[in-house]
Amino acid sequence: MKLTNHISLVASGNNGLSLTHPLDCNVYYVDTGAGGILIDTGAGADNQAILREIQKDGYRVEDIQYVGITHAHGDHGAAADFFRDAAHAKLVTSGYEAGVLADKARMERTMAQYIATGLYPADYRFPSVEVDVKLEEGDCLQLGGVCLQAVITPGHTGGGLCLYGEIDGKNVLFSGDTVFFDGKINLMSIFDGDLLAYRDTLYKLEQLPVQMLLPGHLQPIMDRGAAHIQKAAAAFHRFSVPPSIC
């Protein structure tokens, strides 16, 4: 689903636009002119559906040069190995999330907890994976004429990766599970969730002149994205907490 000339939404589950498998997050394809950047991979439950969406918009999986993972949760990264191998691409995330993704014991332990609470089905698997490129604050993921700047956003997890840059004349923030439509957040009582870190993340993001806000769930925001970020930050400024999507 084309959002702009060079940005496509190629997956979205039940907590979004119901484009692909119900467990999928929003997955975005960025056409840089020199290849594609895939932002998140979905839950790995129906990779073929995502491939079909990529092809519908005129792209091939072989065009993908980078696979970016915003954070180490199954609905965002369980298909990381599949898309990296299918595209012969490089897997990219923050240094913190790379450490989580590579920690097999922690991944197995936390996935068992998520399955036990019903977040994922009993047979669900999210294999650990080694990352090729680790981004830190301010690093640029450069491909063709597109530079996506890394913004490290702890809160939902310990070191989530947002990507910010200009595409098709608009300032775009791919926000993962950090901030959503109408100023919502995704605060979870998990091993690396952190309320005060989340507050500081929103204080940082509210400084960005975001036009398009492209989150990991709910609907993409095509313009005036900063207003949604500022609404979430305003709740923290009042010593309150924004509503959470979970």
Side-chain angles (χ1 to χ4, degrees):
M1 179 187 297
K2 284 273 192 179
L3 301 180
T4 73
N5 287 339
H6 294 92
I7 303 173
S8 293
L9 179 69
V10 295
S12 187
N14 279 358
N15 202 6
L17 302 186
S18 298
L19 188 65
T20 53
H21 191 274
L23 288 175
D24 283 340
C25 69
N26 292 344
V27 177
Y28 300 96
Y29 183 100
V30 179
D31 174 10
T32 71
I37 300 173
L38 193 70
I39 299 177
D40 283 328
T41 68
D46 188 355
N47 297 325
Q48 295 303 315
I50 300 176
L51 290 176
R52 288 193 294 271
E53 292 299 321
I54 291 171
Q55 292 163 359
K56 281 180 187 177
D57 283 353
Y59 305 116
R60 305 174 305 158
V61 68
E62 297 90 344
D63 297 330
I64 299 169
Q65 303 298 307
Y66 291 107
V67 176
I69 305 297
T70 60
H71 60 288
H73 285 171
D75 54 335
H76 291 258
D81 254 351
F82 173 85
F83 282 101
R84 175 170 61 182
D85 292 349
H88 303 290
K90 291 182 178 179
L91 188 61
V92 181
T93 190
S94 70
Y96 174 86
E97 300 295 334
V100 176
L101 286 167
D103 188 339
K104 182 179 179 181
R106 180 177 288 280
M107 292 282 284
E108 290 177 349
R109 187 166 61 250
T110 55
M111 282 309 304
Q113 294 169 349
Y114 296 158
I115 289 169
T117 60
L119 287 174
Y120 295 95
D123 60 349
Y124 189 78
R125 297 293 178 268
F126 181 9
S128 60
V129 63
E130 295 287 341
V131 168
D132 302 303
V133 180
K134 301 173 185 178
L135 298 179
E136 301 301 338
E137 183 75 23
D139 288 348
C140 175
L141 180 61
Q142 180 82 48
L143 187 62
V146 172
C147 169
L148 295 178
Q149 182 180 352
V151 186
I152 307 303
T153 54
H156 175 63
T157 60
L161 174 66
C162 291
L163 292 167
Y164 176 71
E166 183 178 334
I167 304 173
D168 292 325
K170 286 193 172 184
N171 295 327
V172 181
L173 180 70
F174 297 93
S175 63
D177 276 6
T178 298
V179 62
F180 306 87
F181 175 81
D182 200 31
K184 292 181 173 65
I185 62 171
N186 193 356
L187 181 64
M188 299 179 71
S189 55
I190 56 177
F191 76 93
D192 58 352
D194 188 322
L195 175 61
L196 295 184
Y198 220 139
R199 175 199 64 188
D200 293 341
T201 283
L202 267 295
Y203 288 172
K204 176 168 62 174
L205 292 180
E206 71 173 335
Q207 305 301 317
L208 298 177
V210 175
Q211 293 168 292
M212 290 185 71
L213 177 62
L214 302 182
H217 300 285
L218 306 184
Q219 62 264 53
I221 298 155
M222 302 301 292
D223 203 3
R224 301 183 294 281
H228 300 262
I229 299 170
Q230 290 160 5
K231 183 172 182 178
F236 282 120
H237 283 298
R238 296 191 303 269
F239 307 108
S240 184
V241 179
S244 184
I245 68 168
C246 68

